[in-house]
Amino acid sequence: MGASAAGVTAGEERDAEHERERDGLGGHGAECIRRVRRHSSGSDPAAALVAVCPTMNIVVTGANRGIGLEFVRQYLARGESVVAAVRSPSAAEALRGLGAAHPGALRVLACDVGDDASVAEFARAMGDAAVDVLVNNAGVRGEWTSLEAMDTAEALRTYSVNALGPLRVTRALLPHLLRSEPRKVAHISSGMGSIGDNTSGGAYSYRMSKAALNMASRSMAVDLRDRRVISVVFNPGWVQTDMGGRSAPVPVEQSVHALVALIDGLAASDSGDFLDWRGKRYEW
């Protein structure tokens, strides 16, 4: 087997690439490495990287804590430009810390996904920016009560945030998505939204809102196919967050690390799917 110009065999190069993918450079990162190799032609690889792998523009809703905050942290750590959408930017202390650590890479904007006017103002605040990836993460737990104790007004509020919220944001940011390539929308759903996996009952408002989100994503996948927009729902697992609790088995860093890699690798054929954080199709 012949050696490369740098004295590295093709087999060693493949092994190194596999190591990079295991270290979290799969998907977008691995594809960038392949593009650099094709386009650098012996020139400065750093310049080639900038030329063929520009920074992606990411929007994350519900970004002030838990899964959303971890998405922001991991995307910033790998050099992406992030817009964090939160209900109250002035109270988002963790995001301010991330902004200080990554100057110029993070914008924190107000957005209440349960309110039409707030979402419209958020989209206006985005200006003419392109959006490569939209992560619809904002959600509420709602009340987990018995059938007899269910509060229908509370259930409607949960539905407005969890099901209509991602619909509002995706609709408002569609012109921004259409300015980019790729055009990916990742909705953070839940295993609680699976009809086939419901063996414990209860949690009516939360379960119903997430099942509705799953249906909305499938419809968006169909309706936006010709405009090359990919829409997928993810079950992030039972994650150690304020909502999931400290006894949850999956650390938030692990779940989001896997989800970021899955989003990187999404193709048109995946649009409309319901996937878990390990990349397997989940029961509807």
Side-chain angles (χ1 to χ4, degrees), residues 233-244:
V233 279
F234 286 105
N235 169 18
W238 183 9
V239 181
Q240 295 170 8
T241 61
D242 290 346
M243 185 181 293

Side-chain angles (χ1 to χ4, degrees), residues 260-284:
V260 166
L262 289 170
I263 293 168
D264 283 342
L266 287 176
S269 58
D270 300 309
S271 195
D273 279 353
F274 184 14
L275 303 173
D276 70 12
W277 65 282
R278 295 182 179 90
K280 297 180 180 178
R281 284 183 171 82
Y282 207 76
E283 270 194 286
W284 291 103

Side-chain angles (χ1 to χ4, degrees), residues 58-118:
I58 315 291
V59 173
V60 181
T61 68
N64 62 313
R65 61 181 182 176
I67 290 174
L69 180 61
E70 187 61 27
F71 266 111
V72 174
R73 183 179 289 114
Q74 293 196 22
Y75 274 125
L76 287 174
R78 76 175 203 183
E80 311 298 2
S81 176
V82 180
V83 174
V86 299
R87 282 186 294 177
S88 179
S90 63
E93 295 181 8
L95 286 172
R96 284 200 296 273
L98 287 174
H102 301 274
L106 176 64
R107 295 177 68 196
V108 182
L109 298 178
C111 182
D112 180 349
V113 304
D115 181 82
D116 287 352
S118 178

Side-chain angles (χ1 to χ4, degrees), residues 140-151 154-155 158-159 162 190-194 198 200-211:
V140 294
R141 185 177 187 271
E143 295 180 355
W144 290 28
T145 63
S146 67
L147 175 62
E148 293 84 355
M150 186 180 72
D151 180 341
E154 184 278 332
T158 301
Y159 182 87
N162 291 357
S190 169
M192 298 285 286
S194 167
N198 184 358
S200 56
Y204 287 91
S205 61
Y206 187 76
R207 286 189 185 278
M208 293 168 68
S209 69
K210 290 299 189 179

Side-chain angles (χ1 to χ4, degrees), residues 7 36 44 81 92 125 134 138 185 207 226 230 254 258 275 280-281:
V36 169
D44 180 3
S81 176
L134 166 60
V185 185
R207 286 189 185 278
D226 290 345
I230 298 170
Q254 182 180 2
L275 303 173
K280 297 180 180 178
R281 284 183 171 82

